[in-house]
Amino acid sequence: RRVVRAPSELELRELAALASRRRATLVSLVTVLGLVTALALGPLVGSAASGAALAGGALLAAGTDLAGLWWWATSGWVAGGLGSAGPADPLLTVLLVPAALTGGSGQSAVAVLLLGGVLLSGLGAWAAAGAATRSVGVRAWAAVVWASAPA
């Protein structure tokens, strides 16, 4: 019974070659998207890496530490105006994991997500395209197109 269902040596070699090609394409995709990010956002990445805060009207003012971010993400109080009871901002929940990975700084988490958006969207498109096709070339094409699409 095991012999009937077991893959042959040829099938095993084909699967190994496909996995190798998939890994090589993914590494080259990450390299290309990283270079595009470095070229397009180089000065911003350099200043954010040195600890400078990103500023802008639409950016979240996340200058708090991890404990404060946790409190704001799980609190039932909205501090706008005089304050009122209401649900927390869902973005704060998303920022908890990157903030924990960047040393507990909410501002660093915002910078990582904002400046790494091209790379993160390309990786997400690579994974999503894997559900639609097994072709490595089509997955790479979908990832590049999705990452280069304007926001």
Side-chain angles (χ1 to χ4, degrees), residues 74-139:
T74 58
S75 172
W77 188 256
V78 179
L82 296 174
S84 63
D89 188 4
L91 177 62
L92 295 174
T93 307
V94 172
L95 284 178
L96 284 173
V97 173
L101 294 175
T102 59
S105 171
Q107 189 64 37
S108 297
V110 169
V112 164
L113 289 178
L114 195 66
L115 298 176
V118 173
L119 182 63
L120 291 173
S121 66
L123 290 175
W126 170 269
T133 183
R134 294 285 180 202
S135 171
V136 176
V138 173
R139 287 178 76 179

